[in-house]
Amino acid sequence: MEMKKRINLELRDRAPEEVTELVLDNCFCVNGEIEGLNDTFKKLEFLSMANVELSSLARLPSLNKLRKLELSDNIISGGLEVLAEKCPNLTYLNLSGNKIKDLSTVEALQNLKNLKSLDLFNCEITNLEDYRESIFELLQQITYLDGFDQEDNEAPDSEEEDDEDGDEDDEEEEEDEAGPPEGYEEEEEEEDEDEDEDEDEAGSELGEGEEEVGLSYLMKEEIQDEEDDDDYVEEGEEEEEEEEEGLRGEKRKRDAEDDGEEEDD
């Protein structure tokens, strides 16, 4: 499919000025030039034209908001100065798999002041002696070359960075929505402290009341025990008196019987 038709297909009834991402990989460039892409794509931030047989960037429109440009697996050999003129805010540029052979071709990228990551993998220039050192010296604004920095630390995945930024934004929004107003936490802590003090005072009063009730109960029990002891003593005395009266009665009876026997004699 030709690039122009592919662009119309990717628009999907949207106006060009509404599009922020455009992927045109594996389509066909007539005469190796860009077709169907114009200045109306004002909000375009990501453009991918990988493996489209592109040989020239001369017809690249002005895309001031473009941040990432994928041009891998094409037949570009020069003309990179157009990028600084048309896409001055590029931060990521992928030229891997193209026909770039020498440092002079890459020198044109010095004017891309915001460029942080450059890929030249599978280009002939990578066969040069001290290739990495030379590129970092030539393009001092870049941080990553072919996915690694000067200390061979791998570049973070762009999708992961976007996800992390999105998660952080979501967390901040949730905290803003759910967070209490300023000073609310301090007031709440003061109220909790007052409630704790009231509970402590109520507990101490309750403890004193319980002690008083406990003492009263013990005193009542002691009094009751004494009364029970007195009742027991009185009952014991009555029984002793009854026994004594019974003994006296039996004695009188025996005395009477003895008197009768004496009279008979």
Side-chain angles (χ1 to χ4, degrees):
M1 182 183 294
E2 293 183 3
M3 180 176 287
K4 190 174 183 178
K5 293 180 179 179
R6 178 68 177 272
I7 291 174
N8 292 331
L9 181 64
E10 291 293 329
L11 284 176
R12 299 169 187 168
D13 298 326
R14 294 176 296 172
E17 56 269 19
E18 297 175 354
V19 179
T20 58
E21 295 186 6
L22 190 60
V23 178
L24 306 174
D25 298 348
N26 304 313
C27 66
F28 174 68
C29 283
V30 178
N31 298 323
E33 295 185 343
I34 297 171
E35 289 186 318
L37 198 63
N38 52 50
D39 296 346
T40 58
F41 290 84
K42 297 177 180 180
K43 294 183 179 180
L44 198 62
E45 297 180 3
F46 175 81
L47 174 61
S48 183
M49 296 185 290
N51 191 30
V52 296
E53 299 185 17
L54 185 64
S55 61
S56 172
L57 298 174
R59 298 182 64 179
L60 183 70
S62 294
L63 302 171
N64 289 327
K65 290 193 174 182
L66 196 67
R67 298 290 184 272
K68 296 182 179 182
L69 180 59
E70 289 273 358
L71 296 173
S72 60
D73 300 320
N74 284 294
I75 48 178
I76 298 169
S77 59
L80 300 183
E81 60 276 357
V82 175
L83 294 175
E85 179 186 349
K86 303 294 186 179
C87 312
N89 294 307
L90 275 183
T91 59
Y92 171 83
L93 176 61
N94 188 349
L95 290 169
S96 60
N98 277 279
K99 304 298 182 181
I100 298 171
K101 300 178 181 181
D102 50 53
L103 292 173
S104 61
T105 304
V106 178
E107 188 175 359
L109 300 178
Q110 286 179 332
N111 293 325
L112 285 172
K113 303 300 182 181
N114 297 314
L115 189 64
K116 299 300 179 185
S117 181
L118 174 65
D119 280 353
L120 296 171
F121 188 71
N122 280 344
C123 292
E124 289 185 41
I125 192 173
T126 60
N127 297 324
L128 295 177
E129 186 177 357
D130 299 326
Y131 153 71
R132 289 182 60 81
E133 291 80 359
S134 299
I135 294 293
F136 277 117
E137 184 177 353
L138 183 65
L139 304 176
Q140 296 185 8
Q141 77 272 34
I142 70 170
T143 304
Y144 300 101
L145 176 62
D146 300 332
F148 294 87
D149 65 12
Q150 287 180 281
E151 285 74 35
D152 290 331
N153 296 312
E154 188 173 3
D157 185 77
S158 58
E159 292 182 0
E160 289 179 0
E161 283 184 340
D162 293 340
D163 291 341
E164 289 175 1
D165 292 340
D167 293 340
E168 288 176 0
D169 293 339
D170 293 341
E171 289 176 1
E172 289 177 359
E173 289 177 1
E174 290 176 0
E175 288 177 358
D176 291 339
E177 292 175 359
E182 187 175 352
Y184 177 81
E185 293 181 356
E186 294 179 359
E187 293 178 0
E188 189 174 359
E189 289 177 358
E190 290 177 359
E191 290 177 0
D192 292 340
E193 289 176 359
D194 293 339
E195 289 178 0
D196 292 339
E197 289 177 0
D198 293 340
E199 289 177 359
D200 293 340
E201 290 176 0
S204 60
E205 291 175 0
L206 181 61
E208 292 174 359
E210 287 178 350
E211 289 178 1
E212 291 177 0
V213 171
L215 290 172
S216 300
Y217 180 76
L218 291 173
M219 291 174 69
K220 287 180 181 179
E221 280 195 343
E222 290 178 358
I223 293 169
Q224 185 66 39
D225 291 340
E226 290 176 359
E227 290 177 356
D228 292 342
D229 293 341
D230 292 341
D231 293 340
Y232 180 76
V233 171
E234 290 176 359
E235 290 176 358
E237 291 176 353
E238 289 176 359
E239 290 178 356
E240 288 178 358
E241 289 177 359
E242 288 177 357
E243 289 178 358
E244 289 177 358
E245 288 179 0
L247 292 173
R248 284 197 294 270
E250 290 180 358
K251 185 177 181 183
R252 284 196 298 271
K253 185 177 180 181
R254 285 197 300 274
D255 290 342
E257 289 176 353
D258 291 341
D259 291 341
E261 288 177 358
E262 287 177 358
E263 288 176 0
D264 290 340
D265 291 341

